[in-house]
């Protein structure tokens, strides 16, 4: 391995650790970094720096700051980012840039992008038009907003401390239920901090223009730069992934922030917190009655396919190239018939998901059952790719 390739690998590994970092932010270092980013962009340093315990609390706090001024994300992040990318691309050439990206940022891109997308979705859901309820965030999301003032109470800088806390408290429900469109607009103002790790890995060691952005990313979470104020988010306190890098936890939140805002997931699929809480008490009957095929698949993965078949007294009735037909005879109800199918598209870790599709009790073959799920007769069901 050449020296350049070793340096790129080292940078990618270092920024991978930054992207996955949990625990309290280094507020002093992060604030020094964001002030450097402002100066580098030719802007006056912000008058106030306020802290929030999660992206959800940060959106609530930003909404409450009527005197924050316009967003300066373009000057602080977007413009220098684009110009540094252009400079590096010109220096390395198209082939050289492609190779450099593959050895650095590309290694982190999918995971950081998907995680950021999940956080945005969770924040939008929790702080949307219907207020904070249900979905991924559930009660934790409501608690996060109610504790938004706690984050503002800990801001630095004299009067900003009281002003920020009072603004959040005064905002009340008006600032919780601002509407999904409004939340999405505020999220566009955010710099992603540690979740910008992919691009920062590509620029690592290539100049000092992005040093401020890098310093914030190394020591804090997302942040919102405005003319007169900056809102900075704490990092998560928990992050759980599977071997493929997907959010994954069966007994609690896969991603959690200090104020309780959290995302729940099973092998990358978003699931409600209440759903995970019920997995420990699963029964074959509960699995059979679940109407959502994705949630039923999660239940079966958690419960175990072999265990489910044995516990439910399922009988193998038919199999062909489309799947396996199973029948569970019930003394006081109609038979439960399901087709076991395997998704031909592999997961990121190379495995293939197994699904169980509930079909009518009159079904006699696997093909007939799969065709029924598409609204087709078995004789005309000829999939180009079996999923």
């Amino acid at each position: 391995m050449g020296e350049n390739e070793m340096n790129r690998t080292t940078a990618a590994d270092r920024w991978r650790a930054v992207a996955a970092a949990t625990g309290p932010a280094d507020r002093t270092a992060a604030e020094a970094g964001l002030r450097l980013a402002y100066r580098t962009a030719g802007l006056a340093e912000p008058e106030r720096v306020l802290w929030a315990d999660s992206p959800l609390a940060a959106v609530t706090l930003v909404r409450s700051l009527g005197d924050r001024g316009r967003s300066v994300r373009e000057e602080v992040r977007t413009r220098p980012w684009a110009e540094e990318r252009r400079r590096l691309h010109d220096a390395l050439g198209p082939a050289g840039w492609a190779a450099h990206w593959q050895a650095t940022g590309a290694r982190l891109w999918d995971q950081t992008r998907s995680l950021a997308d999940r956080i945005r979705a969770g924040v939008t859901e929790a702080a949307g038009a219907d207020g904070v309820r249900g979905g991924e965030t559930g009660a934790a999301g409501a608690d996060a907003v109610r504790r938004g003032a706690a984050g503002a109470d800990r801001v630095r800088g004299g009067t900003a401390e009281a002003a920020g806390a009072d603004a959040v408290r005064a905002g009340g429900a008006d600032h919780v239920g601002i509407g999904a469109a409004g939340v999405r607009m505020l999220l566009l103002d955010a710099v992603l901090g540690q979740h910008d790790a992919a691009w920062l890995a590509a620029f690592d060691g290539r100049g000092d223009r992005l040093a401020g952005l890098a310093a914030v990313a190394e020591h804090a979470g997302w942040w919102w730069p405005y003319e007169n104020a900056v809102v900075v988010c704490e990092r998560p306190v928990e992050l759980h992934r599977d071997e493929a890098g997907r959010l994954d936890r069966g007994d609690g939140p896969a991603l959690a922030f200090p104020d309780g805002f959290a995302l729940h997931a099973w092998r990358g699929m978003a699931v409600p917190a209440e759903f995970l809480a019920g997995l420990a008490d699963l029964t074959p009957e509960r699995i059979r009655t679940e109407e959502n095929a994705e949630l039923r698949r999660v239940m079966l993965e958690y419960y175990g396919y072999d265990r489910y078949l044995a516990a439910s007294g399922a009988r193998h009735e038919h199999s062909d190239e489309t799947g396996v037909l199973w029948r569970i005879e019930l003394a006081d109800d109609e038979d439960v018939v399901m087709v076991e199918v395997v998704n031909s598209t592999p997961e990121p870790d190379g495995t293939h998901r197994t699904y169980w599709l509930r079909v009518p009790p009159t079904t006699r073959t696997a093909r007939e059952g799969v065709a029924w799920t598409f609204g087709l007769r078995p004789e005309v069901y000829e999939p180009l790719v079996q999923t």
Side-chain angles (χ1 to χ4, degrees), residues 175-298:
H175 295 309
V176 174
I178 64 176
V183 172
R184 283 192 288 268
M185 290 300 293
L186 289 181
L187 289 170
L188 291 177
D189 289 342
V191 180
L192 301 188
Q194 68 182 128
H195 298 142
D196 270 333
W199 282 108
L200 290 168
F203 297 131
D204 192 283
R206 296 284 177 165
D208 297 330
R209 189 175 182 192
L210 304 180
L213 293 172
V216 183
E218 289 180 287
H219 299 293
W222 294 17
W223 54 292
W224 281 255
Y226 295 94
E227 280 184 299
N228 304 322
V230 179
V231 173
V232 194
C233 182
E234 282 284 348
R235 293 183 296 201
V237 292
E238 292 188 73
L239 175 63
H240 301 269
R241 300 179 185 268
D242 63 10
E243 63 280 357
R246 301 170 297 185
L247 288 178
D248 179 50
R249 189 180 179 188
D251 59 353
L255 180 73
F257 286 85
D259 60 2
F261 172 68
L263 303 179
H264 296 78
W266 174 267
R267 298 184 183 177
M269 190 183 88
V271 294
E274 312 82 61
F275 172 81
L276 288 180
L279 289 180
D281 300 320
L282 276 180
T283 64
E285 181 179 4
R286 171 69 184 91
I287 296 171
R288 282 197 302 271
T289 57
E290 174 56 55
E291 295 181 357
N292 185 298
E294 287 282 358
L295 294 182
R296 187 164 60 242
R297 176 187 58 76
V298 172

Side-chain angles (χ1 to χ4, degrees), residues 107 109-111 113-114 118 241-248 266-269 297 301 343-353 355:
R107 299 181 179 186
W109 177 252
D110 286 342
Q111 286 188 16
R113 181 183 59 178
S114 63
R118 291 290 295 279
R241 300 179 185 268
D242 63 10
E243 63 280 357
R246 301 170 297 185
L247 288 178
D248 179 50
W266 174 267
R267 298 184 183 177
M269 190 183 88
R297 176 187 58 76
E301 289 179 351
N343 192 342
S344 62
T345 303
E347 295 299 300
D349 61 357
T351 61
H352 294 260
R353 284 184 173 180
Y355 290 87

